[in-house]
Amino acid sequence: MDLLISIVKIIGSVGLFLFGMQILSEGLQKSASGRLKRTLEMMTGNRLLSVITGFLITVVIQSSSATTVMVVSFVNAGLMNLFSAIGVILGANIGTTVTGWIVALLGFSVDITILSLFSIAVALPFLFSKKTKGRDFAEIFMGFGLLFIGLEFIQASMPDISSHPEILSFLSRFEDGSVSSILLCVFIGTILTVIVQSSSASMAITITMAYQGWIGVWTASALCLGQNIGTTVTAYLASLGASTNAKRAALAHTLFNVVGSVLVLFLMKPMLGIVDWITGAEIFTLTESEMHNVLPTFLASFHTLFNVFNTIVFFPFVKPFASLIEHIIPDKKKEEDDHYKFKYIAGRAEAPEFYLIALKNEVKKLGLLTKDMFFSWASLSSSDSLDSVGDEILQLKKREERADEMQDELTSFSILMLQNSQSPTNADELHKIIRVIDELESITDSIYNLSKLTEDRFGKGIVFSKEEREEISGYRALTGDFVSLVVDNLDTNKDDILSSSVVFEEKMDSEHKRLSNEVQLRLENNKGDFRTQLLILEVERNLEHIGDYLLNISETLSGGKSADHEDEIN
């Protein structure tokens, strides 16, 4: 019964530690959102910049697993190549050592209770701040406070084994430095990390066990190696069902950590000697009580040296390593069908700023598809030839169906992100994205309606007069200019775009009224065929709807409504 209670306490303590780390991560992300967005631009073919980027991202979001899943997602979405991904993964492994240093330097050298309560006290007044930055700041300190409380509970939950010599005798068997003992500890470290899904949490557990006297330097160091292998499982699971390149990125992460761990296993003793020299701990000459006091910083140093060493070893061979990965996982002959699938992995909600970048990138693609559809119809509409009309209509239909698929996929993903929204700012961005997607899809519906009207015109042999052709041509050109303005500026929210959109929409409304009056006059004076005039009215009505949708997009992106449009709605 006592054993069960101890296990439950440890599990609960780890859970609190992970929760604190998540809150800390969210606060850091939101306070550094602008910088996070700019880091995507650093992920280029430059190996050094990729490594630095991976390091910085992991320091901010406090999870190498999250960074690697993100990398796999970017590769899957085509936002990053394998060469850059490997560099980011190298940097992420160094970045994840920061948590170990926080635990080692602050978790045992100061009164954690005072430290955690101080952090929460600092956070408290900012929790009620009306400013977003103030609340983000509060989350950072609240996260630190919960993290330290969790660490304190982990320490308190570790049973005192000083009075149980039989347990000490059992554990001492793993401290002989033998190959079998080290391999077993590597395996245990791997399984532990797979279970808790966080190498930072398993590192905290390892450091705490070492400090409490459960394990020694050999056992703890081997557990660290295992944790670096276990952390690769998350990225591997994220790559299941993904593209070939995503699987390659996940395999690169696995091979890097596994090969690096195996390499360090052969150099275990000299590596520990180097750490001993760097720290000046003289770890192998200390008594057990003295050793346990210096083990936290010793293990943090070993963890850092291990990942830095691996990065230095692999860094010059990134290109050959990428080629090897591509050879192991060759390209498939046909990886995708004709249906749209949002190729992005987001099983967890870390670093939403990066997911927003990917969403906006896809929205831009939907905008370009919409623009392409409009001008394809415009070209078809301006022709009097019956040649290839059926094929053109079929192509427009396929693109309209693709737009429908994009709306379904991107909206579903946006809603998923909304459910995990970490800040009002992100929620506002996601609401805007959903609205823009809906308006763009509505435009594609109107364009397809226009293509069917054109098909009817050809099918019924309707021929426009010179006056009618000029009316439609002018209104069509005005709409095309409006489409180009909005689609070309989907990634901006400049006020001048909204003002220009208002001018366009007013021109379109005015022109629509004028053209409708012209049609009415022709019908009253029996100057035009009834079917032709009805078709012209339908064309103009669909174009006018497109103008409304475009203005809605501009208003959404700018975060407000124009006064005139507000009056129309009211």
Side-chain angles (χ1 to χ4, degrees):
M1 188 63 181
D2 290 340
L3 177 61
L4 179 61
I5 293 175
S6 296
I7 293 174
V8 171
K9 284 183 178 179
I10 292 173
I11 293 173
S13 301
V14 172
L16 185 59
F17 178 88
L18 287 172
F19 181 64
M21 194 163 65
Q22 180 182 357
I23 297 297
L24 170 62
S25 172
E26 292 175 0
L28 287 168
Q29 286 180 60
K30 288 180 282 186
S31 64
S33 59
R35 297 181 186 90
L36 278 173
K37 290 177 181 178
R38 289 193 292 272
T39 54
L40 181 62
E41 299 174 0
M42 296 174 62
M43 297 179 188
T44 63
N46 187 300
R47 283 175 292 179
L48 182 58
L49 282 179
S50 297
V51 172
I52 294 172
T53 300
F55 172 78
L56 293 176
I57 294 171
T58 307
V59 168
V60 170
I61 67 177
Q62 288 290 292
S63 174
S64 61
S65 296
T67 302
T68 309
V69 169
M70 199 159 42
V71 168
V72 171
S73 301
F74 284 155
V75 174
N76 193 47
L79 299 177
M80 186 190 301
N81 58 39
L82 182 61
F83 179 80
S84 298
I86 293 174
V88 175
I89 290 169
L90 293 175
N93 279 6
I94 300 176
T96 195
T97 64
V98 171
T99 306
W101 278 107
I102 292 173
V103 174
L105 294 176
L106 300 178
F108 307 99
S109 58
V110 297
D111 189 327
I112 306 179
T113 302
I114 295 176
L115 194 60
S116 59
L117 292 178
F118 175 78
S119 295
I120 294 173
V122 172
L124 187 61
F126 292 98
L127 282 175
F128 305 101
S129 174
K130 294 182 179 180
K131 295 183 178 180
T132 302
K133 288 186 177 180
R135 293 193 298 271
D136 295 344
F137 184 77
E139 283 194 23
I140 294 173
F141 278 88
M142 186 64 73
F144 268 121
L146 292 174
L147 185 148
F148 288 132
I149 290 176
L151 181 59
E152 181 182 17
F153 283 164
I154 291 174
Q155 293 180 33
S157 301
M158 290 290 176
D160 181 13
I161 62 171
S162 60
S163 58
H164 298 280
E166 69 280 2
I167 299 179
L168 284 170
S169 176
F170 172 76
L171 293 173
S172 65
R173 298 177 185 176
F174 299 102
E175 274 302 306
D176 57 5
S178 65
V179 174
S180 58
S181 297
I182 292 175
L183 290 177
L184 179 59
C185 290
V186 169
F187 176 75
I188 293 172
T190 302
I191 297 302
L192 177 63
T193 308
V194 170
I195 292 173
V196 300
Q197 285 288 289
S198 171
S199 60
S200 296
S202 58
M203 186 66 185
I205 295 171
T206 300
I207 292 176
T208 303
M209 290 174 66
Y211 182 77
Q212 297 285 55
W214 277 70
I215 55 178
V217 62
W218 286 99
T219 303
S221 300
L223 287 173
C224 290
L225 296 181
Q227 289 156 13
N228 280 273
I229 297 174
T231 194
T232 64
V233 173
T234 306
Y236 171 75
L237 293 175
S239 70
L240 295 177
S243 67
T244 297
N245 277 330
K247 292 175 180 175
R248 287 170 176 168
L251 179 60
H253 183 218
T254 301
L255 286 180
F256 170 67
N257 283 25
V258 171
V259 173
S261 297
V262 171
L263 184 61
V264 171
L265 277 174
F266 284 105
L267 302 172
M268 191 74 158
K269 192 167 184 178
M271 283 283 286
L272 291 176
I274 292 173
V275 175
D276 195 38
W277 176 75
I278 292 173
T279 60
E282 298 183 354
I283 198 79
F284 298 106
T285 64
L286 300 176
T287 63
E288 286 191 6
S289 59
E290 292 173 333
M291 179 186 295
H292 298 147
N293 289 327
V294 299
L295 263 179
T297 52
F298 185 91
L299 291 174
S301 300
F302 174 77
H303 191 213
T304 302
L305 180 63
F306 163 70
N307 284 293
V308 171
F309 172 76
N310 282 352
T311 300
I312 293 173
V313 169
F314 276 85
F315 187 77
F317 307 105
V318 171
K319 282 189 176 180
F321 187 52
S323 299
L324 174 63
I325 298 296
E326 290 171 349
H327 179 74
I328 296 174
I329 304 180
D331 288 314
K332 294 181 180 179
K333 291 183 179 179
K334 188 175 183 181
E335 203 170 77
E336 302 174 4
D337 55 23
D338 292 332
H339 296 286
Y340 174 81
K341 184 70 178 175
F342 184 38
K343 299 187 299 180
Y344 216 73
I345 303 162
R348 301 168 69 182
E350 295 97 339
E353 301 299 336
F354 286 100
Y355 296 127
L356 284 172
I357 291 173
L359 269 173
K360 290 177 181 179
N361 186 62
E362 294 301 304
V363 172
K364 183 70 174 178
K365 291 179 183 178
L366 177 57
L368 293 174
L369 173 66
T370 303
K371 180 180 177 180
D372 180 63
M373 281 185 66
F374 181 84
F375 285 104
S376 292
W377 166 77
S379 176
L380 180 68
S381 174
S382 62
S383 173
D384 283 330
S385 174
L386 292 174
D387 297 338
S388 303
V389 169
D391 291 339
E392 290 290 338
I393 299 296
L394 181 61
Q395 290 301 316
L396 284 168
K397 176 60 178 175
K398 286 182 178 180
R399 279 179 275 183
E400 192 274 332
E401 289 174 349
R402 188 169 184 82
D404 289 343
E405 292 171 351
M406 292 183 77
Q407 181 194 30
D408 290 341
E409 289 279 335
L410 298 178
T411 301
S412 296
F413 185 84
S414 299
I415 292 172
L416 174 64
M417 292 297 295
L418 265 175
Q419 292 170 348
N420 296 290
S421 178
Q422 300 174 341
S423 74
T425 302
N426 291 338
D428 182 59
E429 286 290 312
L430 288 164
H431 282 297
K432 286 182 179 181
I433 287 172
I434 292 172
R435 178 69 186 275
V436 170
I437 291 170
D438 183 61
E439 299 294 344
L440 286 172
E441 194 277 332
S442 296
I443 294 175
T444 63
D445 288 342
S446 293
I447 295 171
Y448 181 66
N449 290 338
L450 288 167
S451 71
K452 294 299 291 181
L453 290 172
T454 301
E455 185 179 40
D456 287 344
R457 174 167 72 89
F458 285 129
K460 295 175 181 178
I462 295 175
V463 179
F464 293 139
S465 66
K466 181 180 179 181
E467 178 187 6
E468 292 166 344
R469 181 188 293 276
E470 290 176 350
E471 288 175 359
I472 294 175
S473 176
Y475 199 37
R476 184 177 60 222
L478 180 63
T479 308
D481 290 340
F482 198 1
V483 169
S484 296
L485 170 74
V486 174
V487 171
D488 292 346
N489 291 279
L490 278 177
D491 53 353
T492 66
N493 56 359
K494 297 177 182 177
D495 291 337
D496 59 336
I497 302 300
L498 176 58
S499 60
S500 298
S501 296
V502 170
V503 171
F504 264 110
E505 207 271 341
E506 288 175 348
K507 286 182 180 179
M508 291 192 67
D509 280 349
S510 176
E511 192 69 2
H512 182 230
K513 291 177 183 177
R514 186 185 71 80
L515 295 177
S516 296
N517 289 334
E518 292 291 335
V519 170
Q520 187 67 31
L521 286 174
R522 283 196 291 269
L523 288 174
E524 290 175 357
N525 298 322
N526 295 318
K527 288 187 176 180
D529 177 67
F530 182 74
R531 294 181 308 165
T532 302
Q533 302 312 308
L534 286 182
L535 189 144
I536 291 174
L537 284 175
E538 277 299 298
V539 170
E540 293 170 354
R541 183 178 66 84
N542 277 280
L543 289 173
E544 197 269 339
H545 284 172
I546 290 175
D548 289 338
Y549 298 139
L550 291 169
L551 180 59
N552 289 340
I553 291 172
S554 294
E555 290 173 341
T556 300
L557 293 176
S558 66
K561 285 185 170 59
S562 64
D564 292 340
H565 200 218
E566 194 71 66
D567 291 338
E568 286 180 24
I569 294 174
N570 295 331

PDB file of all heavy atoms in Angstrom, residues 368-395:
ATOM      1  N   LEU A 368      -5.030  32.610 -54.167  1.00  0.00           N
ATOM      2  CA  LEU A 368      -4.472  32.522 -55.526  1.00  0.00           C
ATOM      3  C   LEU A 368      -5.319  31.611 -56.409  1.00  0.00           C
ATOM      4  O   LEU A 368      -5.477  31.873 -57.609  1.00  0.00           O
ATOM      5  CB  LEU A 368      -3.029  32.006 -55.458  1.00  0.00           C
ATOM      6  CG  LEU A 368      -2.025  32.951 -54.794  1.00  0.00           C
ATOM      7  CD1 LEU A 368      -0.664  32.277 -54.650  1.00  0.00           C
ATOM      8  CD2 LEU A 368      -1.882  34.242 -55.603  1.00  0.00           C
ATOM      9  N   LEU A 369      -5.866  30.542 -55.825  1.00  0.00           N
ATOM     10  CA  LEU A 369      -6.774  29.667 -56.572  1.00  0.00           C
ATOM     11  C   LEU A 369      -8.013  30.444 -57.000  1.00  0.00           C
ATOM     12  O   LEU A 369      -8.482  30.319 -58.145  1.00  0.00           O
ATOM     13  CB  LEU A 369      -7.164  28.474 -55.698  1.00  0.00           C
ATOM     14  CG  LEU A 369      -8.248  27.538 -56.263  1.00  0.00           C
ATOM     15  CD1 LEU A 369      -7.745  26.830 -57.508  1.00  0.00           C
ATOM     16  CD2 LEU A 369      -8.677  26.516 -55.213  1.00  0.00           C
ATOM     17  N   THR A 370      -8.537  31.259 -56.092  1.00  0.00           N
ATOM     18  CA  THR A 370      -9.719  32.075 -56.386  1.00  0.00           C
ATOM     19  C   THR A 370      -9.425  33.067 -57.506  1.00  0.00           C
ATOM     20  O   THR A 370     -10.224  33.225 -58.443  1.00  0.00           O
ATOM     21  CB  THR A 370     -10.152  32.838 -55.116  1.00  0.00           C
ATOM     22  OG1 THR A 370     -10.399  31.911 -54.060  1.00  0.00           O
ATOM     23  CG2 THR A 370     -11.396  33.662 -55.386  1.00  0.00           C
ATOM     24  N   LYS A 371      -8.288  33.713 -57.416  1.00  0.00           N
ATOM     25  CA  LYS A 371      -7.897  34.682 -58.445  1.00  0.00           C
ATOM     26  C   LYS A 371      -7.725  34.006 -59.796  1.00  0.00           C
ATOM     27  O   LYS A 371      -8.184  34.522 -60.832  1.00  0.00           O
ATOM     28  CB  LYS A 371      -6.596  35.364 -58.017  1.00  0.00           C
ATOM     29  CG  LYS A 371      -6.066  36.396 -58.998  1.00  0.00           C
ATOM     30  CD  LYS A 371      -4.771  37.012 -58.470  1.00  0.00           C
ATOM     31  CE  LYS A 371      -4.164  37.992 -59.459  1.00  0.00           C
ATOM     32  NZ  LYS A 371      -2.902  38.591 -58.958  1.00  0.00           N
ATOM     33  N   ASP A 372      -7.090  32.843 -59.793  1.00  0.00           N
ATOM     34  CA  ASP A 372      -6.886  32.088 -61.036  1.00  0.00           C
ATOM     35  C   ASP A 372      -8.225  31.689 -61.644  1.00  0.00           C
ATOM     36  O   ASP A 372      -8.410  31.771 -62.864  1.00  0.00           O
ATOM     37  CB  ASP A 372      -6.041  30.854 -60.737  1.00  0.00           C
ATOM     38  CG  ASP A 372      -5.788  30.024 -61.982  1.00  0.00           C
ATOM     39  OD1 ASP A 372      -5.136  30.536 -62.909  1.00  0.00           O
ATOM     40  OD2 ASP A 372      -6.259  28.872 -62.033  1.00  0.00           O
ATOM     41  N   MET A 373      -9.159  31.263 -60.789  1.00  0.00           N
ATOM     42  CA  MET A 373     -10.494  30.887 -61.283  1.00  0.00           C
ATOM     43  C   MET A 373     -11.189  32.073 -61.937  1.00  0.00           C
ATOM     44  O   MET A 373     -11.801  31.940 -63.009  1.00  0.00           O
ATOM     45  CB  MET A 373     -11.355  30.365 -60.130  1.00  0.00           C
ATOM     46  CG  MET A 373     -11.089  28.947 -59.706  1.00  0.00           C
ATOM     47  SD  MET A 373     -12.273  28.398 -58.449  1.00  0.00           S
ATOM     48  CE  MET A 373     -13.818  28.401 -59.382  1.00  0.00           C
ATOM     49  N   PHE A 374     -11.086  33.250 -61.296  1.00  0.00           N
ATOM     50  CA  PHE A 374     -11.787  34.415 -61.839  1.00  0.00           C
ATOM     51  C   PHE A 374     -11.274  34.781 -63.226  1.00  0.00           C
ATOM     52  O   PHE A 374     -12.064  35.007 -64.157  1.00  0.00           O
ATOM     53  CB  PHE A 374     -11.655  35.614 -60.901  1.00  0.00           C
ATOM     54  CG  PHE A 374     -12.380  36.827 -61.408  1.00  0.00           C
ATOM     55  CD1 PHE A 374     -13.733  36.992 -61.166  1.00  0.00           C
ATOM     56  CD2 PHE A 374     -11.719  37.792 -62.171  1.00  0.00           C
ATOM     57  CE1 PHE A 374     -14.420  38.093 -61.671  1.00  0.00           C
ATOM     58  CE2 PHE A 374     -12.391  38.890 -62.666  1.00  0.00           C
ATOM     59  CZ  PHE A 374     -13.750  39.048 -62.422  1.00  0.00           C
ATOM     60  N   PHE A 375      -9.973  34.845 -63.369  1.00  0.00           N
ATOM     61  CA  PHE A 375      -9.426  35.272 -64.659  1.00  0.00           C
ATOM     62  C   PHE A 375      -9.558  34.180 -65.731  1.00  0.00           C
ATOM     63  O   PHE A 375      -9.577  34.482 -66.917  1.00  0.00           O
ATOM     64  CB  PHE A 375      -7.982  35.734 -64.488  1.00  0.00           C
ATOM     65  CG  PHE A 375      -7.881  37.078 -63.831  1.00  0.00           C
ATOM     66  CD1 PHE A 375      -7.501  37.194 -62.497  1.00  0.00           C
ATOM     67  CD2 PHE A 375      -8.212  38.228 -64.520  1.00  0.00           C
ATOM     68  CE1 PHE A 375      -7.421  38.427 -61.875  1.00  0.00           C
ATOM     69  CE2 PHE A 375      -8.142  39.477 -63.916  1.00  0.00           C
ATOM     70  CZ  PHE A 375      -7.756  39.581 -62.587  1.00  0.00           C
ATOM     71  N   SER A 376      -9.652  32.928 -65.303  1.00  0.00           N
ATOM     72  CA  SER A 376      -9.951  31.864 -66.263  1.00  0.00           C
ATOM     73  C   SER A 376     -11.368  32.039 -66.793  1.00  0.00           C
ATOM     74  O   SER A 376     -11.625  31.902 -67.999  1.00  0.00           O
ATOM     75  CB  SER A 376      -9.817  30.486 -65.591  1.00  0.00           C
ATOM     76  OG  SER A 376      -8.484  30.215 -65.266  1.00  0.00           O
ATOM     77  N   TRP A 377     -12.297  32.340 -65.870  1.00  0.00           N
ATOM     78  CA  TRP A 377     -13.670  32.595 -66.324  1.00  0.00           C
ATOM     79  C   TRP A 377     -13.724  33.847 -67.192  1.00  0.00           C
ATOM     80  O   TRP A 377     -14.437  33.876 -68.203  1.00  0.00           O
ATOM     81  CB  TRP A 377     -14.616  32.780 -65.130  1.00  0.00           C
ATOM     82  CG  TRP A 377     -15.922  33.367 -65.580  1.00  0.00           C
ATOM     83  CD1 TRP A 377     -16.935  32.717 -66.213  1.00  0.00           C
ATOM     84  CD2 TRP A 377     -16.292  34.744 -65.527  1.00  0.00           C
ATOM     85  NE1 TRP A 377     -17.936  33.608 -66.542  1.00  0.00           N
ATOM     86  CE2 TRP A 377     -17.578  34.852 -66.130  1.00  0.00           C
ATOM     87  CE3 TRP A 377     -15.691  35.900 -65.017  1.00  0.00           C
ATOM     88  CZ2 TRP A 377     -18.243  36.080 -66.238  1.00  0.00           C
ATOM     89  CZ3 TRP A 377     -16.365  37.107 -65.126  1.00  0.00           C
ATOM     90  CH2 TRP A 377     -17.621  37.198 -65.722  1.00  0.00           C
ATOM     91  N   ALA A 378     -12.991  34.909 -66.800  1.00  0.00           N
ATOM     92  CA  ALA A 378     -12.997  36.157 -67.564  1.00  0.00           C
ATOM     93  C   ALA A 378     -12.544  35.917 -69.000  1.00  0.00           C
ATOM     94  O   ALA A 378     -13.114  36.460 -69.950  1.00  0.00           O
ATOM     95  CB  ALA A 378     -12.093  37.187 -66.881  1.00  0.00           C
ATOM     96  N   SER A 379     -11.514  35.091 -69.157  1.00  0.00           N
ATOM     97  CA  SER A 379     -11.021  34.766 -70.498  1.00  0.00           C
ATOM     98  C   SER A 379     -12.074  33.993 -71.280  1.00  0.00           C
ATOM     99  O   SER A 379     -12.296  34.248 -72.465  1.00  0.00           O
ATOM    100  CB  SER A 379      -9.735  33.946 -70.386  1.00  0.00           C
ATOM    101  OG  SER A 379      -9.281  33.547 -71.652  1.00  0.00           O
ATOM    102  N   LEU A 380     -12.718  33.052 -70.587  1.00  0.00           N
ATOM    103  CA  LEU A 380     -13.773  32.259 -71.234  1.00  0.00           C
ATOM    104  C   LEU A 380     -14.956  33.128 -71.607  1.00  0.00           C
ATOM    105  O   LEU A 380     -15.532  33.014 -72.696  1.00  0.00           O
ATOM    106  CB  LEU A 380     -14.211  31.145 -70.281  1.00  0.00           C
ATOM    107  CG  LEU A 380     -15.306  30.196 -70.768  1.00  0.00           C
ATOM    108  CD1 LEU A 380     -14.797  29.336 -71.918  1.00  0.00           C
ATOM    109  CD2 LEU A 380     -15.782  29.308 -69.616  1.00  0.00           C
ATOM    110  N   SER A 381     -15.332  34.043 -70.724  1.00  0.00           N
ATOM    111  CA  SER A 381     -16.506  34.883 -70.931  1.00  0.00           C
ATOM    112  C   SER A 381     -16.325  35.873 -72.074  1.00  0.00           C
ATOM    113  O   SER A 381     -17.285  36.230 -72.760  1.00  0.00           O
ATOM    114  CB  SER A 381     -16.809  35.650 -69.640  1.00  0.00           C
ATOM    115  OG  SER A 381     -17.849  36.565 -69.822  1.00  0.00           O
ATOM    116  N   SER A 382     -15.095  36.306 -72.270  1.00  0.00           N
ATOM    117  CA  SER A 382     -14.837  37.308 -73.310  1.00  0.00           C
ATOM    118  C   SER A 382     -14.725  36.697 -74.695  1.00  0.00           C
ATOM    119  O   SER A 382     -14.570  37.421 -75.683  1.00  0.00           O
ATOM    120  CB  SER A 382     -13.551  38.078 -72.984  1.00  0.00           C
ATOM    121  OG  SER A 382     -12.441  37.192 -72.954  1.00  0.00           O
ATOM    122  N   SER A 383     -14.803  35.380 -74.760  1.00  0.00           N
ATOM    123  CA  SER A 383     -14.670  34.693 -76.051  1.00  0.00           C
ATOM    124  C   SER A 383     -16.034  34.388 -76.644  1.00  0.00           C
ATOM    125  O   SER A 383     -17.022  34.204 -75.939  1.00  0.00           O
ATOM    126  CB  SER A 383     -13.882  33.398 -75.847  1.00  0.00           C
ATOM    127  OG  SER A 383     -13.868  32.645 -77.037  1.00  0.00           O
ATOM    128  N   ASP A 384     -16.085  34.330 -77.959  1.00  0.00           N
ATOM    129  CA  ASP A 384     -17.311  33.929 -78.661  1.00  0.00           C
ATOM    130  C   ASP A 384     -17.175  32.525 -79.230  1.00  0.00           C
ATOM    131  O   ASP A 384     -18.072  32.024 -79.890  1.00  0.00           O
ATOM    132  CB  ASP A 384     -17.619  34.904 -79.809  1.00  0.00           C
ATOM    133  CG  ASP A 384     -18.215  36.201 -79.297  1.00  0.00           C
ATOM    134  OD1 ASP A 384     -18.897  36.153 -78.239  1.00  0.00           O
ATOM    135  OD2 ASP A 384     -17.986  37.250 -79.930  1.00  0.00           O
ATOM    136  N   SER A 385     -16.042  31.887 -78.980  1.00  0.00           N
ATOM    137  CA  SER A 385     -15.777  30.571 -79.551  1.00  0.00           C
ATOM    138  C   SER A 385     -16.397  29.479 -78.697  1.00  0.00           C
ATOM    139  O   SER A 385     -16.392  29.543 -77.464  1.00  0.00           O
ATOM    140  CB  SER A 385     -14.262  30.358 -79.661  1.00  0.00           C
ATOM    141  OG  SER A 385     -13.988  29.038 -80.083  1.00  0.00           O
ATOM    142  N   LEU A 386     -16.897  28.453 -79.333  1.00  0.00           N
ATOM    143  CA  LEU A 386     -17.458  27.307 -78.620  1.00  0.00           C
ATOM    144  C   LEU A 386     -16.397  26.247 -78.334  1.00  0.00           C
ATOM    145  O   LEU A 386     -16.665  25.271 -77.627  1.00  0.00           O
ATOM    146  CB  LEU A 386     -18.585  26.679 -79.461  1.00  0.00           C
ATOM    147  CG  LEU A 386     -19.852  27.525 -79.628  1.00  0.00           C
ATOM    148  CD1 LEU A 386     -20.807  26.840 -80.598  1.00  0.00           C
ATOM    149  CD2 LEU A 386     -20.542  27.737 -78.301  1.00  0.00           C
ATOM    150  N   ASP A 387     -15.211  26.427 -78.899  1.00  0.00           N
ATOM    151  CA  ASP A 387     -14.153  25.421 -78.746  1.00  0.00           C
ATOM    152  C   ASP A 387     -13.701  25.318 -77.295  1.00  0.00           C
ATOM    153  O   ASP A 387     -13.438  26.332 -76.635  1.00  0.00           O
ATOM    154  CB  ASP A 387     -12.950  25.769 -79.628  1.00  0.00           C
ATOM    155  CG  ASP A 387     -13.309  25.764 -81.111  1.00  0.00           C
ATOM    156  OD1 ASP A 387     -14.312  25.110 -81.454  1.00  0.00           O
ATOM    157  OD2 ASP A 387     -12.599  26.428 -81.893  1.00  0.00           O
ATOM    158  N   SER A 388     -13.589  24.095 -76.813  1.00  0.00           N
ATOM    159  CA  SER A 388     -13.031  23.777 -75.485  1.00  0.00           C
ATOM    160  C   SER A 388     -13.809  24.375 -74.319  1.00  0.00           C
ATOM    161  O   SER A 388     -13.310  24.425 -73.205  1.00  0.00           O
ATOM    162  CB  SER A 388     -11.572  24.239 -75.379  1.00  0.00           C
ATOM    163  OG  SER A 388     -10.796  23.640 -76.398  1.00  0.00           O
ATOM    164  N   VAL A 389     -15.047  24.857 -74.549  1.00  0.00           N
ATOM    165  CA  VAL A 389     -15.836  25.418 -73.450  1.00  0.00           C
ATOM    166  C   VAL A 389     -16.105  24.358 -72.395  1.00  0.00           C
ATOM    167  O   VAL A 389     -15.982  24.598 -71.198  1.00  0.00           O
ATOM    168  CB  VAL A 389     -17.171  25.997 -73.970  1.00  0.00           C
ATOM    169  CG1 VAL A 389     -18.103  26.325 -72.807  1.00  0.00           C
ATOM    170  CG2 VAL A 389     -16.907  27.233 -74.802  1.00  0.00           C
ATOM    171  N   GLY A 390     -16.458  23.149 -72.857  1.00  0.00           N
ATOM    172  CA  GLY A 390     -16.749  22.067 -71.919  1.00  0.00           C
ATOM    173  C   GLY A 390     -15.561  21.746 -71.027  1.00  0.00           C
ATOM    174  O   GLY A 390     -15.714  21.568 -69.811  1.00  0.00           O
ATOM    175  N   ASP A 391     -14.368  21.688 -71.604  1.00  0.00           N
ATOM    176  CA  ASP A 391     -13.161  21.396 -70.828  1.00  0.00           C
ATOM    177  C   ASP A 391     -12.860  22.501 -69.822  1.00  0.00           C
ATOM    178  O   ASP A 391     -12.466  22.235 -68.684  1.00  0.00           O
ATOM    179  CB  ASP A 391     -11.966  21.217 -71.764  1.00  0.00           C
ATOM    180  CG  ASP A 391     -12.076  19.946 -72.599  1.00  0.00           C
ATOM    181  OD1 ASP A 391     -12.834  19.050 -72.180  1.00  0.00           O
ATOM    182  OD2 ASP A 391     -11.412  19.872 -73.644  1.00  0.00           O
ATOM    183  N   GLU A 392     -13.052  23.760 -70.258  1.00  0.00           N
ATOM    184  CA  GLU A 392     -12.801  24.887 -69.360  1.00  0.00           C
ATOM    185  C   GLU A 392     -13.772  24.875 -68.179  1.00  0.00           C
ATOM    186  O   GLU A 392     -13.377  25.114 -67.034  1.00  0.00           O
ATOM    187  CB  GLU A 392     -12.942  26.207 -70.134  1.00  0.00           C
ATOM    188  CG  GLU A 392     -11.833  26.462 -71.140  1.00  0.00           C
ATOM    189  CD  GLU A 392     -10.504  26.753 -70.462  1.00  0.00           C
ATOM    190  OE1 GLU A 392     -10.505  27.161 -69.286  1.00  0.00           O
ATOM    191  OE2 GLU A 392      -9.459  26.546 -71.110  1.00  0.00           O
ATOM    192  N   ILE A 393     -15.043  24.604 -68.460  1.00  0.00           N
ATOM    193  CA  ILE A 393     -16.049  24.543 -67.391  1.00  0.00           C
ATOM    194  C   ILE A 393     -15.709  23.417 -66.421  1.00  0.00           C
ATOM    195  O   ILE A 393     -15.834  23.567 -65.201  1.00  0.00           O
ATOM    196  CB  ILE A 393     -17.460  24.326 -67.972  1.00  0.00           C
ATOM    197  CG1 ILE A 393     -17.851  25.489 -68.912  1.00  0.00           C
ATOM    198  CG2 ILE A 393     -18.482  24.178 -66.850  1.00  0.00           C
ATOM    199  CD1 ILE A 393     -17.959  26.817 -68.223  1.00  0.00           C
ATOM    200  N   LEU A 394     -15.262  22.287 -66.971  1.00  0.00           N
ATOM    201  CA  LEU A 394     -14.896  21.143 -66.124  1.00  0.00           C
ATOM    202  C   LEU A 394     -13.719  21.495 -65.215  1.00  0.00           C
ATOM    203  O   LEU A 394     -13.720  21.147 -64.025  1.00  0.00           O
ATOM    204  CB  LEU A 394     -14.537  19.944 -67.012  1.00  0.00           C
ATOM    205  CG  LEU A 394     -14.144  18.656 -66.263  1.00  0.00           C
ATOM    206  CD1 LEU A 394     -15.302  18.171 -65.389  1.00  0.00           C
ATOM    207  CD2 LEU A 394     -13.730  17.571 -67.262  1.00  0.00           C
ATOM    208  N   GLN A 395     -12.726  22.209 -65.756  1.00  0.00           N
ATOM    209  CA  GLN A 395     -11.580  22.617 -64.952  1.00  0.00           C
ATOM    210  C   GLN A 395     -11.988  23.584 -63.845  1.00  0.00           C
ATOM    211  O   GLN A 395     -11.501  23.500 -62.710  1.00  0.00           O
ATOM    212  CB  GLN A 395     -10.513  23.256 -65.847  1.00  0.00           C
ATOM    213  CG  GLN A 395      -9.799  22.281 -66.776  1.00  0.00           C
ATOM    214  CD  GLN A 395      -9.103  21.170 -66.009  1.00  0.00           C
ATOM    215  OE1 GLN A 395      -8.435  21.412 -64.986  1.00  0.00           O
ATOM    216  NE2 GLN A 395      -9.248  19.944 -66.479  1.00  0.00           N
TER     217      GLN A 395
END
